[in-house]
Amino acid sequence: MRLEWIAVVALLGATGATAQTAEQGQYAAQLRAMFTSVAGGTCPADLMADGLLKACQEQLPQMASGLKAAGPIKTITFLKTELANGEWFEQYQVTFTNGAPSKWTIGGLQDGKFKSVYSLGD
């Protein structure tokens, strides 16, 4: 099953500069926490801004079953940081126990909550 989580912020048409600012991203722990929470059947309101939380709740049945089938996360590897529409986003390669690695992007951090988490299915 291909996991996809298309969030509120549409980045496909956004112009953005890529910056390699650090060897490690800053959002890996939050991304892991989101996956764990969603696999358990809840959307983490403490990490998700209103729009992302709403999108998560609408997609929760599919995402929870997909994440459960994928199994625990084996690795989360930081790939790059991007600036899009004035906001920072980090991209990670996530490998679950049962499945091929996939790229996930998290960002749009505002007031301690993320506005966007998504995978384009690669």
Side-chain angles (χ1 to χ4, degrees):
M1 169 180 261
R2 188 172 86 175
L3 296 175
E4 291 183 36
W5 199 349
I6 304 300
V8 178
V9 180
L11 294 178
L12 290 175
T15 57
T18 300
Q20 296 288 30
T21 58
E23 290 295 316
Q24 297 271 355
Q26 298 179 6
Y27 304 151
Q30 293 92 333
L31 185 60
R32 181 182 296 271
M34 285 185 196
F35 285 140
T36 301
S37 182
V38 170
T42 60
C43 297
D46 61 325
L47 293 173
M48 295 180 168
D50 290 341
L52 179 59
L53 183 61
K54 183 178 186 232
C56 178
Q57 290 166 340
E58 290 170 356
Q59 299 173 43
L60 187 58
Q62 305 94 300
M63 286 300 300
S65 65
L67 287 170
K68 284 181 188 177
I73 295 171
K74 286 176 30 178
T75 60
I76 296 180
T77 305
F78 173 72
L79 298 175
K80 64 182 177 178
T81 300
E82 296 178 343
L83 177 64
N85 297 329
E87 297 182 307
W88 288 103
F89 294 85
E90 293 181 356
Q91 186 177 75
Y92 293 86
Q93 180 169 299
V94 180
T95 304
F96 295 92
T97 303
N98 305 317
S102 56
K103 291 180 184 172
W104 287 84
T105 301
I106 179 172
L109 184 62
Q110 185 177 26
D111 299 325
K113 296 183 179 187
F114 294 91
K115 294 192 282 184
S116 184
V117 173
Y118 66 93
S119 174
L120 297 177
D122 50 356

